[in-house]
Amino acid sequence: MKKRLEALIKIAETSGLPQSDLDTATEFLFHHEYGLCFDTIATQMYENNINIDLKTYSAISEAAMVLKIPIDDYSYINDLIIIE
């Protein structure tokens, strides 16, 4: 799980998520707060209106599935998907 979330943080970084949000997610990850790490990434990508591609959406969905987070809890992220 840790590697999956590290990869998601890296994706968020290259997508333009502010450093303060990346630091918060990384801190949660360091303390094994995987759900909070995931929530921080997903929520802040949405709050910062960062567009995502289908590959990023897939990474988010796979992390959520492993964490047993219901799709309804992060379905708002669908608004960010861009089709290239």
Side-chain angles (χ1 to χ4, degrees):
M1 183 76 264
K2 185 176 181 180
K3 288 188 185 269
R4 192 177 300 265
L5 288 171
E6 285 172 341
L8 204 52
I9 290 170
K10 192 66 166 169
I11 290 168
E13 179 180 25
T14 59
S15 298
L17 192 66
Q19 188 62 48
S20 60
D21 296 324
L22 296 168
D23 291 344
T24 300
T26 301
E27 185 74 15
F28 284 136
L29 183 61
F30 178 77
H31 292 288
H32 307 284
E33 296 286 351
Y34 300 136
L36 291 173
C37 177
F38 173 86
D39 188 56
T40 298
I41 296 165
T43 301
Q44 292 309 311
M45 287 183 83
Y46 181 80
E47 291 293 324
N48 286 283
N49 200 33
I50 295 174
N51 291 327
I52 60 173
D53 57 17
L54 291 176
K55 184 177 177 182
T56 300
Y57 178 78
S58 178
I60 291 168
S61 295
E62 288 171 13
M65 188 172 58
V66 171
L67 289 166
K68 298 182 179 3
I69 297 172
I71 195 166
D72 290 343
D73 288 3
Y74 65 96
S75 63
Y76 56 86
I77 207 89
N78 292 340
D79 294 343
L80 302 176
I81 298 172
I82 54 169
I83 307 294
E84 295 182 7

